[in-house]
Amino acid sequence: MSTPLVSFLLPTRNSGATLAGALDSLEEQTERDHEVVVVDDGSTDGTAALLESRGDPRLRVLRIGHAGLLAALNRGLAECRGRYVARMDADDLCRPERLEGQLEIAEADGDVSVVGTQVEVFSTEGEVAEGFRLYAEWQNSLLCHEEICREIFIESPIAHPSALLRREELLALGAYEERGWAEDYDLWLRYHAAGRRFAKVAAPLLRWRDHPGRATRTDGRYSVENFLRAKAHYLARGPLRDRDGLVIWGAGRTGRRLSKHLIRAGHEPVCFIDVAPHRIGGTLRGVPVLAAGELMACWSSQRRPILLAAVASRGARALIRDQLADMGLMEVEDYLCVA
């Protein structure tokens, strides 16, 4: 059997109701030079029988005892033979031109490590949840490397089942690691920390299914607290290194929770900035809460400060960006948005 250009990596467990559609969408890819590596993670429904009935010679099935998603991903990755690995989930669907569009970018620019796509969200079980829809819209707005990196500490900027990665690079970066938070977000943060480049096809080539059983709703690794732990971990080892003054804009819930994890990582804020009158003039974590107009006095007293805008509201984030721009501060260089 010849070595394929791309290996689709598809872990699955008890997905008999949706798996056939996902596999059909891979068979219909206009780029034919690929294999599909399905890891059946101990399914107890009709998944095994469905896989046995498929006639595509490019389909390779690995059956393992139930070990969980990370183990299934790494087990499947070890069997992938392609130069590229394309992720796919058993409950999603690809547009026929997905792989062709991603390869066009990856083959044209060897410096691009991860190529995602825009997504189209859908549900066969009622309305798409508003939070999921807004998240997809936000992801779809981030197309180039600079946009993705600017927003990477807000949320996961690439839909994992839409990603195309270079296999050897993925392996060199440690593949999928268990850190107690979402494995896909951890992966993008590691790529970012390593200085790798991202890109995204400006077309919705993945149909991303919303349903009550999504891991983001059922797996504790996707909790807000664990996402904040991930952000604090990579902020401490990257953007906050060699900075002597940490300012956190936001003394509300997000700022409080993020500061807790940053302090544990050895980065204590010198002050908080807030706009709520009842917070201004008080203290949080033992440091003052200042008004926005007091920021530059605090800022100028530090040798190499950095500000984290730690607010969850997209509307508030836009206002903060405008205020910081008026003060002459530059995003990424002087401040980052975190949520």
Side-chain angles (χ1 to χ4, degrees), residues 95-282:
R95 295 296 185 188
E97 63 275 19
R98 170 196 164 172
L99 199 52
E100 183 179 358
Q102 291 180 288
L103 285 171
E104 183 177 351
I105 292 175
E107 294 279 80
D109 188 348
D111 289 334
V112 171
S113 297
V114 181
V115 183
T117 79
Q118 290 182 316
V119 298
E120 173 195 349
V121 294
F122 75 105
S123 175
T124 55
E125 302 180 42
E127 294 289 328
V128 172
E130 183 180 12
F132 189 54
R133 178 182 59 79
L134 291 173
Y135 173 50
E137 289 177 0
W138 172 78
Q139 273 203 2
N140 285 345
S141 72
L142 309 176
L143 296 176
C144 69
H145 174 74
E146 290 74 20
E147 291 169 341
I148 290 168
C149 290
R150 184 192 70 211
E151 308 266 309
I152 199 166
F153 290 106
I154 294 174
E155 250 284 15
S156 181
I158 293 176
H160 192 200
S162 81
L164 177 80
L165 311 100
R166 299 180 192 274
R167 180 172 60 88
E168 291 300 326
E169 193 172 33
L170 174 57
L171 291 169
L173 283 172
Y176 293 95
E177 298 182 354
E178 176 57 79
R179 293 180 178 269
W181 48 70
E183 79 290 334
D184 52 344
Y185 191 34
D186 181 76
L187 189 62
W188 309 147
L189 289 170
R190 273 190 284 135
Y191 270 85
H192 177 260
R196 302 301 200 268
R197 293 190 64 81
F198 301 92
K200 190 178 290 182
V201 180
L205 302 184
L206 178 80
R207 299 194 68 217
W208 206 11
R209 188 190 302 265
D210 186 27
H211 57 84
R214 288 185 57 80
T216 52
R217 298 194 180 116
T218 62
D219 189 334
R221 294 179 306 132
Y222 290 81
S223 69
V224 171
E225 195 70 20
N226 281 326
F227 264 70
L228 287 171
R229 288 178 56 232
K231 294 166 189 177
H233 176 86
Y234 286 99
L235 282 165
R237 287 154 179 76
L240 300 190
R241 286 186 309 176
D242 304 321
R243 300 290 188 135
D244 70 332
L246 169 61
V247 178
I248 297 180
W249 187 312
R253 188 180 185 192
T254 300
R256 292 196 308 270
R257 295 168 80 176
L258 176 66
S259 65
K260 173 184 68 176
H261 296 298
L262 289 173
I263 290 170
R264 288 174 178 173
H267 293 272
E268 297 190 16
V270 296
C271 70
F272 288 83
I273 304 296
D274 209 273
V275 297
H278 68 280
R279 295 191 184 114
I280 296 169

Side-chain angles (χ1 to χ4, degrees), residues 25-32 34 94-96 98-99:
S25 75
L26 298 186
E27 286 189 22
E28 294 166 1
Q29 291 298 297
T30 56
E31 171 55 64
R32 308 296 294 171
H34 69 266
C94 288
R95 295 296 185 188
R98 170 196 164 172
L99 199 52

Side-chain angles (χ1 to χ4, degrees), residues 281-297:
T283 62
L284 178 60
R285 310 291 187 206
V287 300
V289 180
L290 307 177
E294 301 174 275
L295 169 60
M296 295 315 294

